[in-house]
Amino acid sequence: MMTEKENSSPAAGMTVSWVSYAAIMIVGLLSLFALYMGFINYTENQEIAIIYMFIGAAGFAAIGYLLFRGRPVTKQDKLTAKKVEVFTTLECPKCQQKRVRDFKRGDYIFKDDEPCTRCDGKMMITRITRKKEEEKKQDSSWL
Amino acid sequence: MTLLFGLVLQTQTDWNTIIQALYSFVFIIYLFYAQRIQTMQMLRQIEVTLRKVKTVKDEARNAAIKSINEIGKPTGDISPRVDRFLDFFSIGLESMDPAGIVDKMDHFLKTNKHIYEAEVKTLAPNATDVERSDLENLIEIGQALNIYYKVIRHYYLMGKKTMNIYVIMQIHMILPQLLQMVEAYSSGIQAFQEGMPIGDGVGAIVVGKMMHGYPQRAVAEEIVAAEVPYEGRTLVVFKSKGPGGSVGNPDEGLINILEERQGKVKIIITIDAAGKLEGEPVGQVSEGIGAAIGGSGKEKFKMEEIANKYKIPMHAIAIKEGMEHVVAPLVEPLFDATDKAVESVKRIVLEYTEPGDVVVVAGIGNTIGVGQ
């Protein structure tokens, strides 16, 4: 049986803290040192130098992997339900007067909403849409 | 530091031995523990996703409780009842002997709908019918997110317990798709909370635009129809009754209309939102044949049955949208596409029918925030 605590915190104890960043720093320094040793040894002992360089490169590759693929779990790493701005467009069928305002609960398309400010007609909701999203750049124009 | 490097250079041979030993050690460790390291990495990624899903699931629950309290004005604390209903499940039908499964599905869906209506009525006694429909949809989102959360958590905890890479891989491989679906559901919370038109409602908007201003009548449960004259033809257009969040029973609507007219209908046109493929623009209007309707398949089956009975050609208009648009508040390109779809309907009517013919036009989809 799962406890309430487990339910509320599915991954308690697995948060990555400063320790991971410290480990990355240490690995980075050791890799740098290994590369340095590789360069030093290159003229005298090429075999050993290659091993040093390999270790240094592997260290940096591991850091890259940690940073770009296995992102540390932090409190900010959340997905929240996005609230978007939604607008209601009203049009007067008599004088074609148009008005755009923020959406309010109870609005629906084809609703006779409020009196027209220009004539004695009643404005109807003709459009309810959210704010235009910024268009993403196409990766390749030929697609 | 200089001293350290000096010492290092002096004792280079010793260092070489140490580094070589370390290298061999790391190699041996990697040889035996590579899979375990990979397992831990995957578990961590699942955990990140699980946290995200949990946040959204909780938001949906809180939104449902808040809306019910605001709209329904219930007496007492409704949280335990909402939690119980969020855990509500429907057992799928047994299809070992598929004969007659469509009628069974029909009965099953009606029972399901009845339960939802009764539960929401108890939870929100003071809500109007329209508000109740919206609340039903909001609770459905909460239920879907709850299931996603529980399934991902199951595999995560199971994987952690067994450290079996194959258990973990099952969920790890489909994480991007799962996250995409969760994000899609999360964007619907706001829409259903406030009763805004959603991407799935484009079919209903198209028909709403065609029937607005004409006398309307109910032709089936939660389905309204109107007769619209167009270039000498009669268009019998129908959609689910808005502005509450409902999809109605369009199959029953079509059956009733066709039976009423003894099948004397030239063509049937169905309009619905359809999933777009990557690369296709949002709001692209495509034309084809068949019944443009999703859902359980029961509606599609019955619509095809009746069309086949009277040998009436079925035309379909699909308005393309991404998964993230289906339950999210309507985006502008989708609303603009409804005008193009109206033009498509008119063009199909002119091309495939003669003056005096009757055409049935069905606007399929959730009609939340869309009147008629």
Side-chain angles (χ1 to χ4, degrees), chain B residues 99-224:
Chain B
I101 200 162
V102 178
D103 285 333
K104 272 180 10 184
M105 176 67 85
D106 195 12
H107 171 64
F108 173 81
L109 292 173
K110 278 177 181 160
T111 310
N112 202 42
K113 192 173 180 340
H114 173 72
I115 299 283
Y116 274 75
E117 282 170 358
E119 280 286 341
V120 173
K121 203 168 185 178
T122 320
L123 281 168
N126 293 320
T128 61
D129 287 348
V130 170
E131 287 167 340
R132 266 186 217 140
S133 305
D134 296 351
L135 288 175
E136 276 172 40
N137 285 284
L138 188 58
I139 288 173
E140 275 179 63
I141 284 195
Q143 284 176 338
L145 290 169
N146 196 31
I147 289 170
Y148 278 113
Y149 173 70
K150 286 205 290 187
V151 171
I152 300 172
R153 186 184 63 183
H154 167 78
Y155 280 99
Y156 170 71
L157 292 173
M158 184 97 142
K160 229 176 143 185
K161 201 191 276 178
T162 59
M163 284 307 268
N164 184 322
I165 196 164
Y166 301 105
V167 171
I168 298 161
M169 270 170 84
Q170 285 182 68
I171 198 83
H172 186 260
M173 283 189 291
I174 55 165
L175 271 186
Q177 288 99 311
L178 285 177
L179 202 57
Q180 209 181 4
M181 282 189 247
V182 167
E183 279 172 357
Y185 274 116
S186 75
S187 52
I189 298 172
Q190 184 191 7
F192 289 114
Q193 211 176 0
E194 297 180 37
M196 296 164 175
I198 57 170
D200 186 47
V202 283
I205 297 174
V206 172
V207 165
K209 283 182 175 177
M210 295 176 77
M211 76 192 320
H212 182 69
Y214 291 95
Q216 294 158 9
R217 66 189 172 104
V219 286
E221 198 188 343
E222 293 180 7
I223 296 283
V224 284

Side-chain angles (χ1 to χ4, degrees), chain B residues 28-311:
Chain B
I28 291 162
I29 293 280
Y30 189 74
L31 204 68
F32 289 103
Y33 291 95
Q35 199 181 60
R36 200 173 174 83
I37 294 166
Q38 201 187 352
T39 306
M40 286 165 75
Q41 189 71 37
M42 285 196 283
L43 266 177
R44 233 158 61 81
Q45 285 168 359
I46 298 169
E47 186 203 321
V48 173
T49 309
L50 188 60
R51 280 174 181 274
K52 290 177 177 176
V53 178
K54 187 179 187 305
T55 318
V56 180
K57 173 197 78 108
D58 290 342
E59 273 183 51
R61 174 193 174 269
N62 296 338
I65 293 174
K66 193 178 165 214
S67 294
I68 292 169
N69 278 324
E70 275 175 14
I71 300 166
K73 311 248 181 317
T75 47
D77 183 19
I78 51 151
S79 312
R81 204 177 170 114
V82 170
D83 287 334
R84 184 178 58 75
F85 197 46
L86 285 177
D87 218 23
F88 180 79
F89 63 91
S90 319
I91 300 168
L93 296 175
E94 181 50 61
S95 57
M96 206 183 281
D97 178 11
I101 200 162
V102 178
D103 285 333
K104 272 180 10 184
M105 176 67 85
D106 195 12
H107 171 64
F108 173 81
L109 292 173
K110 278 177 181 160
T111 310
N112 202 42
K113 192 173 180 340
H114 173 72
I115 299 283
Y116 274 75
E117 282 170 358
E119 280 286 341
V120 173
K121 203 168 185 178
T122 320
L123 281 168
N126 293 320
T128 61
D129 287 348
V130 170
E131 287 167 340
R132 266 186 217 140
S133 305
D134 296 351
L135 288 175
E136 276 172 40
N137 285 284
L138 188 58
I139 288 173
E140 275 179 63
I141 284 195
Q143 284 176 338
L145 290 169
N146 196 31
I147 289 170
Y148 278 113
Y149 173 70
K150 286 205 290 187
V151 171
I152 300 172
R153 186 184 63 183
H154 167 78
Y155 280 99
Y156 170 71
L157 292 173
M158 184 97 142
K160 229 176 143 185
K161 201 191 276 178
T162 59
M163 284 307 268
N164 184 322
I165 196 164
Y166 301 105
V167 171
I168 298 161
M169 270 170 84
Q170 285 182 68
I171 198 83
H172 186 260
M173 283 189 291
I174 55 165
L175 271 186
Q177 288 99 311
L178 285 177
L179 202 57
Q180 209 181 4
M181 282 189 247
V182 167
E183 279 172 357
Y185 274 116
S186 75
S187 52
I189 298 172
Q190 184 191 7
F192 289 114
Q193 211 176 0
E194 297 180 37
M196 296 164 175
I198 57 170
D200 186 47
V202 283
I205 297 174
V206 172
V207 165
K209 283 182 175 177
M210 295 176 77
M211 76 192 320
H212 182 69
Y214 291 95
Q216 294 158 9
R217 66 189 172 104
V219 286
E221 198 188 343
E222 293 180 7
I223 296 283
V224 284
E227 284 186 21
V228 180
Y230 177 68
E231 301 284 340
R233 289 92 167 156
T234 305
L235 310 184
V236 183
V237 296
F238 74 87
K239 69 180 271 289
S240 42
K241 193 181 174 193
S246 163
V247 288
N249 288 314
D251 50 333
E252 287 177 12
L254 183 68
I255 291 168
N256 293 345
I257 291 168
L258 293 188
E259 295 293 2
E260 239 175 51
R261 294 180 173 265
Q262 289 149 353
K264 285 173 188 148
V265 168
K266 187 76 176 176
I267 57 168
I268 299 164
I269 304 171
T270 47
I271 309 142
D272 195 9
K276 76 176 185 74
L277 297 171
E278 284 298 324
E280 283 186 305
V282 178
Q284 182 179 305
V285 178
S286 300
E287 291 170 23
I289 56 156
I293 183 165
S296 63
K298 182 269 291 184
E299 295 88 354
K300 190 166 181 262
F301 180 90
K302 290 201 165 185
M303 288 167 93
E304 286 167 351
E305 276 272 298
I306 193 76
N308 185 46
K309 183 183 167 188
Y310 293 111
K311 303 290 177 217

Side-chain angles (χ1 to χ4, degrees), chain A residues 2 7-12 14-16 33 36-37 40-41 44-45 48 51-52 54-55 65 69-73 77-84 86 103 105-110 124 126-130 132-133 138, chain B residues 5 8-9 12 15-16 19-20 23 41 44-45 47-48 50-52 54-56 59 70-71 149 153 156-157 183 186 189-190 193-197 205 208-209 212 243 325 328-332 335-336 369-372:
Chain A
M2 203 170 295
N7 270 329
S8 60
S9 175
M14 276 196 76
T15 8
V16 176
F33 180 63
Y36 171 74
M37 291 297 282
I40 293 289
N41 279 292
E44 289 166 25
N45 195 343
I48 294 294
I51 292 175
Y52 274 127
F54 181 76
I55 293 168
Y65 180 78
R69 192 170 165 207
R71 281 193 305 120
V73 183
D77 220 343
K78 283 180 179 175
L79 173 79
T80 48
K82 281 183 279 178
K83 279 252 177 190
V84 290
V86 179
F103 176 89
R105 197 198 284 262
D107 283 358
Y108 63 87
I109 299 172
F110 307 121
M124 187 181 76
T126 53
R127 189 184 177 101
I128 298 173
T129 50
R130 69 168 128 147
K132 202 173 182 180
E133 290 170 337
Q138 276 257 331
Chain B
F5 277 117
V8 167
L9 292 174
Q12 237 183 51
W15 268 104
N16 289 347
I19 292 288
Q20 276 192 68
Y23 176 70
Q41 189 71 37
R44 233 158 61 81
Q45 285 168 359
E47 186 203 321
V48 173
L50 188 60
R51 280 174 181 274
K52 290 177 177 176
K54 187 179 187 305
T55 318
V56 180
E59 273 183 51
E70 275 175 14
I71 300 166
Y149 173 70
R153 186 184 63 183
Y156 170 71
L157 292 173
E183 279 172 357
S186 75
I189 298 172
Q190 184 191 7
Q193 211 176 0
E194 297 180 37
M196 296 164 175
I205 297 174
K209 283 182 175 177
H212 182 69
H325 298 119
L330 205 62
V331 287
E332 284 181 347
F335 193 89
D336 297 337
V370 185
Q372 51 274 328

